[in-house]
Amino acid sequence: TEEMDVKKAFGRCAVVLGIAAGALIAAPIAQAEIESALGVPCTEQGDGVRFCGSSAPRSTTPAWDGTPIDVNVAFPPEPSSGSDGNFPLVMLFHGYGGGKIGLSAMNRWLDRGYATFSMTNRGFRESCGSPAAQAAGGPACADGYVRLIDNRYEVRDAQEFAGRLADEGVGLIDPQRIGAIGGSYGGGMSMALGALKNRKVLPDGSLVA
């Protein structure tokens, strides 16, 4: 009958409205846009990669003791379907006298779904190693000198930055899938991180979790 047809039509409308309302309610749960990492603003590149860093003059963030460290962080493009984030992280370290790894060298990892992090070790270039960086850092650069892969300083810097990335956002990186790679001096950094595993060294030399 006409009355039954109206009821069926109304029921179908109610289902559609219910689905639409549910979608609106669920939307805020999705991963928010990655606007910054370690306090460094991120910009989306032409290929969709989210890059948080710079090549000039610097993109510094305070280390655990306040020393300004020049960093680059990048994330793969937002997936076309599924949730964003929860990326495995690979840390890329430079050779002696060098500086943080740039976006072009990070792309081989980003293309495979890894988030990437690199820093200029304290005392080199824009991590309190140049006159301009020292002037910009001021008193915060007092402890920003090279200690030759000291577990208490350079290695701890990397550990703390990885920990901060794990804590930022909701599921930005997977804290159980973090690796390190580097050549020469950077290889030494990677070996030190691997040897320490889930421990860090305090300035007095003591080991803590």
Side-chain angles (χ1 to χ4, degrees):
T1 66
E2 185 176 346
E3 183 180 352
M4 290 177 64
D5 291 340
V6 170
K7 286 181 178 179
K8 287 180 181 179
F10 179 80
R12 286 193 294 269
C13 289
V15 170
V16 172
L17 288 171
I19 293 171
L24 289 171
I25 292 169
I29 299 174
Q31 176 76 35
E33 182 181 353
I34 302 175
E35 297 181 349
S36 66
L38 300 178
V40 177
C42 304
T43 56
E44 185 172 325
Q45 308 300 297
D47 58 0
V49 162
R50 283 74 64 86
F51 178 62
C52 324
S54 70
S55 57
R58 65 192 69 85
S59 47
T60 58
T61 190
W64 54 273
D65 64 349
T67 300
I69 302 296
D70 194 18
V71 300
N72 282 342
V73 185
F75 302 94
E78 183 178 353
S80 56
S81 62
S83 60
D84 194 10
N86 201 38
F87 301 110
L89 175 70
V90 60
M91 297 187 285
L92 312 170
F93 298 105
H94 62 80
Y96 187 86
K100 63 183 182 180
I101 307 303
L103 179 58
S104 60
M106 290 178 165
N107 279 328
R108 60 181 294 190
W109 297 97
L110 296 164
D111 290 344
R112 290 165 171 78
Y114 290 86
T116 55
F117 163 79
S118 188
M119 67 180 193
T120 300
N121 286 344
R122 60 173 68 204
F124 293 113
R125 301 195 183 187
E126 298 309 299
S127 291
C128 297
S130 71
Q134 292 166 5
C141 279
D143 288 326
Y145 54 90
V146 179
R147 290 179 172 84
L148 296 175
I149 316 181
D150 192 323
N151 287 332
R152 301 169 300 170
Y153 291 92
E154 289 99 335
V155 179
R156 184 178 173 187
D157 288 342
Q159 291 176 309
E160 298 284 357
F161 286 134
R164 282 171 56 186
L165 285 171
D167 290 340
E168 287 184 358
V170 179
L172 196 58
I173 70 164
D174 183 344
Q176 300 303 317
R177 294 190 295 167
I178 299 176
I181 173 179
S184 188
Y185 194 79
M189 284 286 293
S190 302
M191 291 173 63
L193 288 162
L196 284 171
K197 294 184 179 178
N198 61 348
R199 303 166 298 168
K200 65 183 178 182
V201 185
L202 301 183
D204 64 3
S206 59
L207 279 168
V208 298

